[in-house]
Amino acid sequence: MAEYVDIEQAVTISGLRVVLPPGIPGPWAEAVKAILHVKKIPFTRVRHDRGNYAPLIRWTAQSSAPVMVYNDERPRSVWSDQLFLAERLQPNPSLVPSNIEERVVMFGLSNELCGENGFGWSRRLMLIHAAAADPNATDEARKGMLTFGSKYGYSPATAAAAPAKVGQIVKSLAERLESQRSRGARFLISDKLSALDIYWAVFAALIEPLPENLCPMPSEVRRRYICEDPVVRGAITPQLLTHRDFIYHEYLELPVDL
């Protein structure tokens, strides 16, 4: 497992520090790690202590991870802010297209994956609902999950609507990939790697995680990540999963270091 420092230590050092959840391949966290890996930007991993949020709140004024903090600049906890910081710290290789039409498409689809009410958000609602409805869950565990769900506006109604939204986003990506493949392109945008390829590669874990030898994770997390919902399974294509594997094997770190 990778080495982490505590928040108290991270506050005293300079450079790029990234607050991450050790041992769990959360897609937002894996996206940050993947972007920094592609750009070869060094950073210090900071442990996200989910049992005590107070130090993180004091440092970053919020309680979620991942968070990027560079020197004395403001903390960045939003995916797009994190991408722009990485682009500034290391412009090459750029993961943002220079062509404005391609850039609009990339940020639009990336937001559908990473943004509020998008793919990751909606899969979280599904996971929260499954955990809260688990008859084997303790009252304490159920209460904790519902508290967590309040960050995502969880209710039975929002959870019920989530699979259709996830399926719609996955279908749009599948159509985009097929369009690109029909003209001989191997990437979702233009003819080279973009942030969208990375975002899809890491968020695909919320439907079908990488095998254990490539991404070890707690068995309970793996069980919950695998999506059996028929609407979502009906939208995913073998080509999308093959694209995920291509991006990981050609550009990202394997096995995933949690």
Side-chain angles (χ1 to χ4, degrees), residues 1 4 20 24 38 56 59 73 85 90 99 113 117 122 127 152 164 166 175 199-201 213 218 236 254:
M1 181 177 287
Y4 288 77
L20 300 164
I24 299 176
V38 168
L56 180 61
W59 192 28
E73 296 183 8
L85 175 59
Q90 178 51 268
N99 177 277
L113 284 170
N117 295 315
S122 298
L127 293 168
Y152 295 88
V166 172
E175 292 172 350
Y199 291 133
W200 165 246
N213 66 311
I236 194 72
L254 286 175

Side-chain angles (χ1 to χ4, degrees), residues 53-168:
Y53 291 100
L56 180 61
I57 293 172
R58 284 196 299 269
W59 192 28
T60 69
Q62 57 87 59
S63 61
S64 296
V67 189
M68 297 172 70
V69 184
Y70 181 65
N71 290 338
D72 294 326
E73 296 183 8
R74 62 181 175 86
R76 289 166 168 85
S77 59
V78 178
W79 68 271
S80 53
D81 289 349
Q82 293 165 351
L83 175 59
F84 282 126
L85 175 59
E87 287 283 295
R88 174 163 64 86
L89 295 180
Q90 178 51 268
N92 295 306
S94 177
L95 296 173
V96 176
S98 58
N99 177 277
I100 188 169
E101 287 82 9
E102 293 175 346
R103 195 162 64 248
V104 167
V105 173
M106 193 212 79
F107 274 103
L109 289 174
S110 295
N111 190 63
E112 291 298 310
L113 284 170
C114 311
E116 188 166 335
N117 295 315
F119 174 94
W121 184 286
S122 298
R123 278 294 289 132
R124 278 270 171 91
L125 288 172
M126 295 169 67
L127 293 168
I128 292 163
H129 184 72
D134 185 348
N136 298 317
T138 65
D139 289 342
E140 183 180 359
R142 188 174 292 107
K143 181 180 178 181
M145 186 56 65
L146 291 175
T147 299
F148 176 67
S150 65
K151 295 175 65 173
Y152 295 88
Y154 167 76
S155 70
T158 58
K165 184 170 292 184
V166 172
Q168 183 183 50

Side-chain angles (χ1 to χ4, degrees), residues 160-201:
K165 184 170 292 184
V166 172
Q168 183 183 50
I169 294 167
V170 172
K171 182 180 178 182
S172 179
L173 286 169
E175 292 172 350
R176 175 77 191 180
L177 181 62
E178 184 57 34
S179 175
Q180 287 285 93
R181 284 163 55 90
S182 69
R183 68 178 193 84
R186 299 196 69 182
F187 303 95
L188 285 165
I189 301 290
S190 188
D191 296 312
K192 66 176 185 176
L193 182 74
S194 77
L196 180 60
D197 295 295
I198 293 174
Y199 291 133
W200 165 246

Side-chain angles (χ1 to χ4, degrees), residues 222-241:
R222 179 174 293 276
R223 183 183 72 81
R224 292 191 181 279
Y225 270 19
I226 296 172
C227 183
E228 302 290 358
D229 182 90
V231 173
V232 177
R233 298 304 304 195
I236 194 72
T237 65
Q239 290 80 10
L240 277 175
L241 293 177

